[in-house]
Every structure is written in structure tokens, then in C-alpha cells.
Amino acid sequence: MIELGTEWSNWLRANIQRRTSPDAMIKAMISAGFDAATATFVVTQAISPSMPSAIPTPKTAYVPPFPSAGRPVSTYQNDVIPVAAGNRIDVGDRVVTVETRIDRPCVIVFNNVLSDEECDTLIKLSRPRLKPSSTVDPVTGKLEVTGHRISEGMSFRRCEDEFITRIEQRIAKLMNCPIENGEGLAILHYNLGQQYHPHFDYFPPQNPGSQKRMAVGGQRVSTLITYLNDVEEGGETFFPDAGISVCPRKGAAVYFLYCNAQGHVDPLSLHGGKPVVSGEKWIVTKWMRQRPFG
Ligand code: PD2
Ligand code: ZN
């Protein structure tokens, strides 16, 4: 039996009452981070009169109106943003400038995170190690190659040499998170037409595979995507539920924060990479965890 929280139970009940189609409910649950199998099971079970329902009796009489895009209104709240205040941030060996700050979802765009030479070196070092990209299977928690992210990638071991260590120290200072909490720097390369469909970087708490992924280091809390080249057209990092698009620019970066001190995660951080329309796209991503990782 899958246990749904009160918020989701109320949402499901209200939608069944207003005769929303099962397909639309399943789609809305998948968009909110449920895996397809769980969403299908829960909806099918809820609408079937012959099976016991996953929906417990509501504890409150109030059922919120149909929320935007079929999702329940999120009560997520950020803590104090860890990134330093101000328009210029000294990260030790460089001054990073702040281009844009958005409160919710918490998104910050930086310039001058990496030099042109550092971008070129990361591409050169990673190119011979690229493999088809993998994503996390939501049920097993295992990494698998799927059509979900159509690109190639590789990960450096944390602090694997002096050059990587220098970049990691700078990024940790910028994100204001201990270097030990970081996963290894991950490179992604997109060719013409390739994209990354919208997803959460956090491990969706209701996915059975997430517990396994969080056993070491806990939940992911923040991401920094740094662009390693200028893309002629397309390839924006976008947040579809917040209406934000960030255009890739060599050496610039987009930061986002989506997990607070209580371990609650922000569904507004749903994001993806738009298809590359002209040229190619290279990025390096740093994911930070709640605790030391690995
Ligand atoms: O390449 C991107 O813009 C992108 C978009 C969404 C990268 C990631 N997610 C990621 O590395 O998690
Ligand atoms: Zn992502």
C-alpha cells in the first residue's frame, strides 16, 4: 500500500469529485515528481470502487481549489540563502559578479565563475572520458541510461588533481557549502538538437529509489551549472513553472537552491535544458548534499 500525504490525498479526492480524467491526474502527479508507476497505481486504485483506496479519510473539511498546472500549492520555504549578499563575490582567487537574483525558486545567475582557459581545459580533459548520460531510476535508485536526458557526460572524482581541486574550492566558496558535501564535478555535452527534459535535481521523497540515493550524504540541496562554451542558439536552462530561462554564456553559471534545513524540497525548482538549436553545449554541474558525500 502506498501512503499518500494529506495534501495529495485531498487533491486526488477533489479531482475525482470534479471528474478530472485519470490521465490528467497521472500526468499532473508525474510532473510534480512522482514516478509513472506510482502515479498510475495510486490513481487507478483511487478510482476503482472494488479496491481499498490509498486515500485516507480527510482530516480537514477544506479542499483547496484546483491548483496551477494540477499541482498542490507548495508550502516550501527557503532558509537564509547561503550565497553571499552583494553584487560582487570574492571567491578567493577571483571575483564573481552577480547578474540576477530570484527569490522563489531561489535562482542566482553569476558571471566570471570560470576563465575561458579553465572552460577549455575542462572540455579537453573530459572529452575522451564521455559516455552516454545516465539518470536515476526512481524505483531502484540505480543509474541507468534512458532517453530522458539526451547527451553524453562524465564525472571527475572529487579533488582528483590540482586543477579540479582549485575549481571545486572556488565553487564551494561561491555556493557557501563545504567542499566535502559536493558530488564530483559532472560534465555534460549536448550536440545539435539534444536537450534535458524537466526534472528535479533533488531525489523526490516519494520515489522508492530515493532512499538508496540519499543513504550517503543525504538529500541534494543546491546546484551550480557553469557553461563552458557560448551556444549559438538554444540550450537555455529553464524553470518551466517559474517562467525563467537562463541563456548559456561561457564562464557564467546558474545556481539554484531547493532543500531547506528541515529537508523539505522546492517543486518550483523543476528545470531542464532546452534543445540546442545551433552549435553545441558544454556544462559542468556541481550538486551539493546535506552532509559530507563519499
Ligand atoms: O544543461 C542544462 O542546462 C541542465 C538542465 C537541467 C543541466 C541540468 N539540469 C543538470 O545538470 O542537472
Ligand atoms: Zn538538473
PDB file of all heavy atoms in Angstrom, residues 149 186 188 190 196-197 199 201 220 223 225 227 235-238 254 256 271-274 281 283 285 287, ligand 1:
ATOM      1  N   ARG A 149      17.479  12.057 -20.708  1.00  0.00           N
ATOM      2  CA  ARG A 149      18.496  13.081 -20.897  1.00  0.00           C
ATOM      3  C   ARG A 149      19.305  12.655 -22.110  1.00  0.00           C
ATOM      4  O   ARG A 149      19.999  11.648 -22.093  1.00  0.00           O
ATOM      5  CB  ARG A 149      19.389  13.178 -19.666  1.00  0.00           C
ATOM      6  CG  ARG A 149      20.577  14.077 -19.907  1.00  0.00           C
ATOM      7  CD  ARG A 149      21.227  14.516 -18.632  1.00  0.00           C
ATOM      8  NE  ARG A 149      21.650  13.419 -17.783  1.00  0.00           N
ATOM      9  CZ  ARG A 149      22.148  13.603 -16.573  1.00  0.00           C
ATOM     10  NH1 ARG A 149      22.223  14.805 -16.059  1.00  0.00           N
ATOM     11  NH2 ARG A 149      22.551  12.586 -15.873  1.00  0.00           N
ATOM     12  N   ALA A 186      30.455  17.205 -12.646  1.00  0.00           N
ATOM     13  CA  ALA A 186      29.880  16.398 -13.739  1.00  0.00           C
ATOM     14  C   ALA A 186      29.833  17.229 -15.014  1.00  0.00           C
ATOM     15  O   ALA A 186      29.307  18.341 -15.022  1.00  0.00           O
ATOM     16  CB  ALA A 186      28.474  15.949 -13.363  1.00  0.00           C
ATOM     17  N   LEU A 188      28.569  17.682 -18.928  1.00  0.00           N
ATOM     18  CA  LEU A 188      27.565  17.235 -19.910  1.00  0.00           C
ATOM     19  C   LEU A 188      27.855  17.906 -21.243  1.00  0.00           C
ATOM     20  O   LEU A 188      28.153  19.118 -21.276  1.00  0.00           O
ATOM     21  CB  LEU A 188      26.161  17.649 -19.480  1.00  0.00           C
ATOM     22  CG  LEU A 188      25.338  16.707 -18.629  1.00  0.00           C
ATOM     23  CD1 LEU A 188      23.919  17.251 -18.514  1.00  0.00           C
ATOM     24  CD2 LEU A 188      25.297  15.307 -19.232  1.00  0.00           C
ATOM     25  N   TYR A 190      26.064  18.427 -25.023  1.00  0.00           N
ATOM     26  CA  TYR A 190      24.886  18.280 -25.869  1.00  0.00           C
ATOM     27  C   TYR A 190      25.266  18.632 -27.295  1.00  0.00           C
ATOM     28  O   TYR A 190      25.847  19.691 -27.539  1.00  0.00           O
ATOM     29  CB  TYR A 190      23.784  19.260 -25.484  1.00  0.00           C
ATOM     30  CG  TYR A 190      23.289  19.214 -24.055  1.00  0.00           C
ATOM     31  CD1 TYR A 190      24.014  19.817 -23.035  1.00  0.00           C
ATOM     32  CD2 TYR A 190      22.078  18.629 -23.740  1.00  0.00           C
ATOM     33  CE1 TYR A 190      23.535  19.816 -21.726  1.00  0.00           C
ATOM     34  CE2 TYR A 190      21.583  18.634 -22.437  1.00  0.00           C
ATOM     35  CZ  TYR A 190      22.325  19.223 -21.440  1.00  0.00           C
ATOM     36  OH  TYR A 190      21.858  19.232 -20.148  1.00  0.00           O
ATOM     37  N   TYR A 196      17.639  18.292 -22.220  1.00  0.00           N
ATOM     38  CA  TYR A 196      17.459  17.599 -20.938  1.00  0.00           C
ATOM     39  C   TYR A 196      16.048  17.943 -20.472  1.00  0.00           C
ATOM     40  O   TYR A 196      15.752  19.093 -20.173  1.00  0.00           O
ATOM     41  CB  TYR A 196      18.521  18.099 -19.955  1.00  0.00           C
ATOM     42  CG  TYR A 196      18.756  17.274 -18.728  1.00  0.00           C
ATOM     43  CD1 TYR A 196      19.870  17.511 -17.931  1.00  0.00           C
ATOM     44  CD2 TYR A 196      17.894  16.263 -18.344  1.00  0.00           C
ATOM     45  CE1 TYR A 196      20.124  16.774 -16.787  1.00  0.00           C
ATOM     46  CE2 TYR A 196      18.136  15.513 -17.211  1.00  0.00           C
ATOM     47  CZ  TYR A 196      19.244  15.784 -16.435  1.00  0.00           C
ATOM     48  OH  TYR A 196      19.474  15.063 -15.304  1.00  0.00           O
ATOM     49  N   HIS A 197      15.162  16.944 -20.467  1.00  0.00           N
ATOM     50  CA  HIS A 197      13.757  17.203 -20.117  1.00  0.00           C
ATOM     51  C   HIS A 197      13.637  17.663 -18.665  1.00  0.00           C
ATOM     52  O   HIS A 197      14.470  17.307 -17.821  1.00  0.00           O
ATOM     53  CB  HIS A 197      12.923  15.944 -20.343  1.00  0.00           C
ATOM     54  CG  HIS A 197      12.808  15.583 -21.787  1.00  0.00           C
ATOM     55  ND1 HIS A 197      12.155  16.386 -22.691  1.00  0.00           N
ATOM     56  CD2 HIS A 197      13.295  14.535 -22.492  1.00  0.00           C
ATOM     57  CE1 HIS A 197      12.234  15.833 -23.887  1.00  0.00           C
ATOM     58  NE2 HIS A 197      12.926  14.715 -23.797  1.00  0.00           N
ATOM     59  N   HIS A 199      13.125  18.138 -14.839  1.00  0.00           N
ATOM     60  CA  HIS A 199      13.309  17.171 -13.752  1.00  0.00           C
ATOM     61  C   HIS A 199      13.671  17.948 -12.491  1.00  0.00           C
ATOM     62  O   HIS A 199      13.920  19.150 -12.534  1.00  0.00           O
ATOM     63  CB  HIS A 199      14.457  16.200 -14.101  1.00  0.00           C
ATOM     64  CG  HIS A 199      15.756  16.914 -14.289  1.00  0.00           C
ATOM     65  ND1 HIS A 199      16.120  17.496 -15.480  1.00  0.00           N
ATOM     66  CD2 HIS A 199      16.759  17.222 -13.418  1.00  0.00           C
ATOM     67  CE1 HIS A 199      17.289  18.089 -15.357  1.00  0.00           C
ATOM     68  NE2 HIS A 199      17.696  17.951 -14.112  1.00  0.00           N
ATOM     69  N   ASP A 201      16.517  18.131  -9.405  1.00  0.00           N
ATOM     70  CA  ASP A 201      17.840  17.615  -9.060  1.00  0.00           C
ATOM     71  C   ASP A 201      17.785  16.884  -7.719  1.00  0.00           C
ATOM     72  O   ASP A 201      18.593  15.998  -7.453  1.00  0.00           O
ATOM     73  CB  ASP A 201      18.877  18.748  -9.008  1.00  0.00           C
ATOM     74  CG  ASP A 201      19.367  19.107 -10.405  1.00  0.00           C
ATOM     75  OD1 ASP A 201      18.903  18.500 -11.389  1.00  0.00           O
ATOM     76  OD2 ASP A 201      20.229  20.006 -10.519  1.00  0.00           O
ATOM     77  N   ARG A 220      20.113  16.136  -1.983  1.00  0.00           N
ATOM     78  CA  ARG A 220      20.790  17.252  -2.659  1.00  0.00           C
ATOM     79  C   ARG A 220      20.114  18.548  -2.218  1.00  0.00           C
ATOM     80  O   ARG A 220      18.885  18.580  -2.086  1.00  0.00           O
ATOM     81  CB  ARG A 220      20.670  17.112  -4.175  1.00  0.00           C
ATOM     82  CG  ARG A 220      21.601  16.078  -4.771  1.00  0.00           C
ATOM     83  CD  ARG A 220      21.388  16.021  -6.270  1.00  0.00           C
ATOM     84  NE  ARG A 220      22.315  15.100  -6.912  1.00  0.00           N
ATOM     85  CZ  ARG A 220      22.125  14.593  -8.129  1.00  0.00           C
ATOM     86  NH1 ARG A 220      21.049  14.919  -8.820  1.00  0.00           N
ATOM     87  NH2 ARG A 220      23.010  13.761  -8.652  1.00  0.00           N
ATOM     88  N   THR A 223      22.406  23.346  -6.625  1.00  0.00           N
ATOM     89  CA  THR A 223      23.097  23.000  -7.880  1.00  0.00           C
ATOM     90  C   THR A 223      23.775  24.247  -8.424  1.00  0.00           C
ATOM     91  O   THR A 223      23.218  25.345  -8.333  1.00  0.00           O
ATOM     92  CB  THR A 223      22.068  22.516  -8.932  1.00  0.00           C
ATOM     93  OG1 THR A 223      21.390  21.353  -8.447  1.00  0.00           O
ATOM     94  CG2 THR A 223      22.727  22.184 -10.273  1.00  0.00           C
ATOM     95  N   ILE A 225      25.275  25.135 -12.194  1.00  0.00           N
ATOM     96  CA  ILE A 225      25.571  24.726 -13.575  1.00  0.00           C
ATOM     97  C   ILE A 225      26.415  25.840 -14.190  1.00  0.00           C
ATOM     98  O   ILE A 225      25.975  26.986 -14.254  1.00  0.00           O
ATOM     99  CB  ILE A 225      24.272  24.551 -14.387  1.00  0.00           C
ATOM    100  CG1 ILE A 225      23.415  23.413 -13.813  1.00  0.00           C
ATOM    101  CG2 ILE A 225      24.582  24.304 -15.866  1.00  0.00           C
ATOM    102  CD1 ILE A 225      22.018  23.309 -14.439  1.00  0.00           C
ATOM    103  N   TYR A 227      28.477  27.172 -17.555  1.00  0.00           N
ATOM    104  CA  TYR A 227      28.519  26.973 -19.010  1.00  0.00           C
ATOM    105  C   TYR A 227      29.964  27.060 -19.492  1.00  0.00           C
ATOM    106  O   TYR A 227      30.688  27.993 -19.138  1.00  0.00           O
ATOM    107  CB  TYR A 227      27.649  28.031 -19.707  1.00  0.00           C
ATOM    108  CG  TYR A 227      26.229  28.019 -19.191  1.00  0.00           C
ATOM    109  CD1 TYR A 227      25.781  28.983 -18.282  1.00  0.00           C
ATOM    110  CD2 TYR A 227      25.338  27.009 -19.566  1.00  0.00           C
ATOM    111  CE1 TYR A 227      24.489  28.954 -17.782  1.00  0.00           C
ATOM    112  CE2 TYR A 227      24.045  26.972 -19.067  1.00  0.00           C
ATOM    113  CZ  TYR A 227      23.622  27.952 -18.170  1.00  0.00           C
ATOM    114  OH  TYR A 227      22.338  27.916 -17.674  1.00  0.00           O
ATOM    115  N   GLY A 235      19.574  25.851 -25.982  1.00  0.00           N
ATOM    116  CA  GLY A 235      20.364  25.330 -24.865  1.00  0.00           C
ATOM    117  C   GLY A 235      20.160  26.074 -23.556  1.00  0.00           C
ATOM    118  O   GLY A 235      20.927  25.884 -22.611  1.00  0.00           O
ATOM    119  N   GLU A 236      19.102  26.895 -23.466  1.00  0.00           N
ATOM    120  CA  GLU A 236      18.865  27.610 -22.206  1.00  0.00           C
ATOM    121  C   GLU A 236      18.522  26.616 -21.083  1.00  0.00           C
ATOM    122  O   GLU A 236      17.836  25.620 -21.319  1.00  0.00           O
ATOM    123  CB  GLU A 236      17.692  28.597 -22.329  1.00  0.00           C
ATOM    124  CG  GLU A 236      17.856  29.676 -23.370  1.00  0.00           C
ATOM    125  CD  GLU A 236      17.254  29.265 -24.719  1.00  0.00           C
ATOM    126  OE1 GLU A 236      17.115  28.042 -24.976  1.00  0.00           O
ATOM    127  OE2 GLU A 236      16.945  30.167 -25.513  1.00  0.00           O
ATOM    128  N   THR A 237      18.933  26.937 -19.883  1.00  0.00           N
ATOM    129  CA  THR A 237      18.462  26.210 -18.706  1.00  0.00           C
ATOM    130  C   THR A 237      17.154  26.894 -18.311  1.00  0.00           C
ATOM    131  O   THR A 237      17.128  28.106 -18.128  1.00  0.00           O
ATOM    132  CB  THR A 237      19.485  26.314 -17.565  1.00  0.00           C
ATOM    133  OG1 THR A 237      20.743  25.833 -18.051  1.00  0.00           O
ATOM    134  CG2 THR A 237      19.044  25.500 -16.359  1.00  0.00           C
ATOM    135  N   PHE A 238      16.067  26.121 -18.211  1.00  0.00           N
ATOM    136  CA  PHE A 238      14.779  26.775 -17.952  1.00  0.00           C
ATOM    137  C   PHE A 238      14.033  26.140 -16.781  1.00  0.00           C
ATOM    138  O   PHE A 238      14.233  24.960 -16.462  1.00  0.00           O
ATOM    139  CB  PHE A 238      13.906  26.789 -19.215  1.00  0.00           C
ATOM    140  CG  PHE A 238      13.376  25.429 -19.624  1.00  0.00           C
ATOM    141  CD1 PHE A 238      12.017  25.158 -19.563  1.00  0.00           C
ATOM    142  CD2 PHE A 238      14.221  24.428 -20.084  1.00  0.00           C
ATOM    143  CE1 PHE A 238      11.515  23.911 -19.937  1.00  0.00           C
ATOM    144  CE2 PHE A 238      13.730  23.184 -20.457  1.00  0.00           C
ATOM    145  CZ  PHE A 238      12.375  22.924 -20.386  1.00  0.00           C
ATOM    146  N   VAL A 254      24.526  29.261 -13.413  1.00  0.00           N
ATOM    147  CA  VAL A 254      23.239  29.426 -12.732  1.00  0.00           C
ATOM    148  C   VAL A 254      23.233  28.526 -11.499  1.00  0.00           C
ATOM    149  O   VAL A 254      23.590  27.354 -11.568  1.00  0.00           O
ATOM    150  CB  VAL A 254      22.036  29.158 -13.675  1.00  0.00           C
ATOM    151  CG1 VAL A 254      22.082  27.779 -14.311  1.00  0.00           C
ATOM    152  CG2 VAL A 254      20.713  29.322 -12.921  1.00  0.00           C
ATOM    153  N   PHE A 256      20.940  27.206  -8.127  1.00  0.00           N
ATOM    154  CA  PHE A 256      19.602  27.143  -7.546  1.00  0.00           C
ATOM    155  C   PHE A 256      19.614  26.288  -6.288  1.00  0.00           C
ATOM    156  O   PHE A 256      20.384  25.343  -6.149  1.00  0.00           O
ATOM    157  CB  PHE A 256      18.502  26.719  -8.529  1.00  0.00           C
ATOM    158  CG  PHE A 256      18.851  25.608  -9.468  1.00  0.00           C
ATOM    159  CD1 PHE A 256      18.305  24.337  -9.280  1.00  0.00           C
ATOM    160  CD2 PHE A 256      19.686  25.804 -10.554  1.00  0.00           C
ATOM    161  CE1 PHE A 256      18.595  23.299 -10.140  1.00  0.00           C
ATOM    162  CE2 PHE A 256      19.995  24.764 -11.426  1.00  0.00           C
ATOM    163  CZ  PHE A 256      19.452  23.518 -11.216  1.00  0.00           C
ATOM    164  N   HIS A 271      13.338  21.980 -13.534  1.00  0.00           N
ATOM    165  CA  HIS A 271      14.150  22.683 -14.541  1.00  0.00           C
ATOM    166  C   HIS A 271      14.607  21.704 -15.615  1.00  0.00           C
ATOM    167  O   HIS A 271      14.610  20.495 -15.400  1.00  0.00           O
ATOM    168  CB  HIS A 271      15.368  23.353 -13.886  1.00  0.00           C
ATOM    169  CG  HIS A 271      16.310  22.339 -13.316  1.00  0.00           C
ATOM    170  ND1 HIS A 271      16.021  21.597 -12.192  1.00  0.00           N
ATOM    171  CD2 HIS A 271      17.513  21.888 -13.757  1.00  0.00           C
ATOM    172  CE1 HIS A 271      16.995  20.757 -11.958  1.00  0.00           C
ATOM    173  NE2 HIS A 271      17.925  20.906 -12.895  1.00  0.00           N
ATOM    174  N   GLY A 272      15.018  22.230 -16.736  1.00  0.00           N
ATOM    175  CA  GLY A 272      15.514  21.385 -17.818  1.00  0.00           C
ATOM    176  C   GLY A 272      16.471  22.173 -18.700  1.00  0.00           C
ATOM    177  O   GLY A 272      16.745  23.350 -18.452  1.00  0.00           O
ATOM    178  N   GLY A 273      16.977  21.501 -19.718  1.00  0.00           N
ATOM    179  CA  GLY A 273      17.851  22.153 -20.687  1.00  0.00           C
ATOM    180  C   GLY A 273      17.161  22.142 -22.041  1.00  0.00           C
ATOM    181  O   GLY A 273      16.807  21.071 -22.547  1.00  0.00           O
ATOM    182  N   LYS A 274      16.925  23.306 -22.613  1.00  0.00           N
ATOM    183  CA  LYS A 274      16.217  23.367 -23.905  1.00  0.00           C
ATOM    184  C   LYS A 274      17.102  22.795 -25.019  1.00  0.00           C
ATOM    185  O   LYS A 274      18.329  22.796 -24.901  1.00  0.00           O
ATOM    186  CB  LYS A 274      15.850  24.816 -24.219  1.00  0.00           C
ATOM    187  CG  LYS A 274      14.747  25.331 -23.321  1.00  0.00           C
ATOM    188  CD  LYS A 274      14.161  26.620 -23.860  1.00  0.00           C
ATOM    189  CE  LYS A 274      13.126  27.142 -22.877  1.00  0.00           C
ATOM    190  NZ  LYS A 274      12.723  28.518 -23.157  1.00  0.00           N
ATOM    191  N   LYS A 281      26.690  22.404 -26.833  1.00  0.00           N
ATOM    192  CA  LYS A 281      26.654  22.979 -25.473  1.00  0.00           C
ATOM    193  C   LYS A 281      27.441  22.085 -24.520  1.00  0.00           C
ATOM    194  O   LYS A 281      27.263  20.867 -24.526  1.00  0.00           O
ATOM    195  CB  LYS A 281      25.195  23.091 -25.021  1.00  0.00           C
ATOM    196  CG  LYS A 281      24.998  23.557 -23.579  1.00  0.00           C
ATOM    197  CD  LYS A 281      23.510  23.593 -23.251  1.00  0.00           C
ATOM    198  CE  LYS A 281      23.231  23.755 -21.787  1.00  0.00           C
ATOM    199  NZ  LYS A 281      21.804  23.516 -21.475  1.00  0.00           N
ATOM    200  N   ILE A 283      28.516  21.886 -20.333  1.00  0.00           N
ATOM    201  CA  ILE A 283      28.350  22.450 -18.987  1.00  0.00           C
ATOM    202  C   ILE A 283      29.122  21.604 -17.977  1.00  0.00           C
ATOM    203  O   ILE A 283      29.442  20.435 -18.237  1.00  0.00           O
ATOM    204  CB  ILE A 283      26.869  22.480 -18.529  1.00  0.00           C
ATOM    205  CG1 ILE A 283      26.262  21.062 -18.516  1.00  0.00           C
ATOM    206  CG2 ILE A 283      26.027  23.425 -19.378  1.00  0.00           C
ATOM    207  CD1 ILE A 283      25.006  20.943 -17.683  1.00  0.00           C
ATOM    208  N   THR A 285      28.479  20.650 -13.876  1.00  0.00           N
ATOM    209  CA  THR A 285      27.487  20.770 -12.797  1.00  0.00           C
ATOM    210  C   THR A 285      28.085  20.327 -11.478  1.00  0.00           C
ATOM    211  O   THR A 285      28.797  19.323 -11.404  1.00  0.00           O
ATOM    212  CB  THR A 285      26.255  19.896 -13.120  1.00  0.00           C
ATOM    213  OG1 THR A 285      25.680  20.333 -14.347  1.00  0.00           O
ATOM    214  CG2 THR A 285      25.197  19.990 -12.033  1.00  0.00           C
ATOM    215  N   TRP A 287      26.601  19.365  -7.679  1.00  0.00           N
ATOM    216  CA  TRP A 287      25.462  19.149  -6.792  1.00  0.00           C
ATOM    217  C   TRP A 287      25.989  19.070  -5.363  1.00  0.00           C
ATOM    218  O   TRP A 287      26.935  18.327  -5.087  1.00  0.00           O
ATOM    219  CB  TRP A 287      24.749  17.839  -7.111  1.00  0.00           C
ATOM    220  CG  TRP A 287      24.022  17.827  -8.434  1.00  0.00           C
ATOM    221  CD1 TRP A 287      22.900  18.530  -8.761  1.00  0.00           C
ATOM    222  CD2 TRP A 287      24.361  17.058  -9.588  1.00  0.00           C
ATOM    223  NE1 TRP A 287      22.532  18.240 -10.062  1.00  0.00           N
ATOM    224  CE2 TRP A 287      23.404  17.337 -10.579  1.00  0.00           C
ATOM    225  CE3 TRP A 287      25.380  16.147  -9.871  1.00  0.00           C
ATOM    226  CZ2 TRP A 287      23.436  16.754 -11.839  1.00  0.00           C
ATOM    227  CZ3 TRP A 287      25.416  15.559 -11.120  1.00  0.00           C
ATOM    228  CH2 TRP A 287      24.453  15.863 -12.091  1.00  0.00           C
TER     229      TRP A 287
HETATM  230  O1  PD2 B   1      22.230  21.700 -19.316  1.00  0.00           O
HETATM  231  C1  PD2 B   1      21.401  22.228 -18.601  1.00  0.00           C
HETATM  232  O2  PD2 B   1      21.024  23.386 -18.794  1.00  0.00           O
HETATM  233  C2  PD2 B   1      20.826  21.442 -17.480  1.00  0.00           C
HETATM  234  C3  PD2 B   1      19.483  21.498 -17.286  1.00  0.00           C
HETATM  235  C4  PD2 B   1      18.941  20.777 -16.255  1.00  0.00           C
HETATM  236  C5  PD2 B   1      21.593  20.682 -16.637  1.00  0.00           C
HETATM  237  C6  PD2 B   1      20.989  20.011 -15.581  1.00  0.00           C
HETATM  238  N1  PD2 B   1      19.685  20.067 -15.394  1.00  0.00           N
HETATM  239  C7  PD2 B   1      21.756  19.238 -14.604  1.00  0.00           C
HETATM  240  O3  PD2 B   1      22.982  19.057 -14.804  1.00  0.00           O
HETATM  241  O4  PD2 B   1      21.159  18.794 -13.588  1.00  0.00           O
END
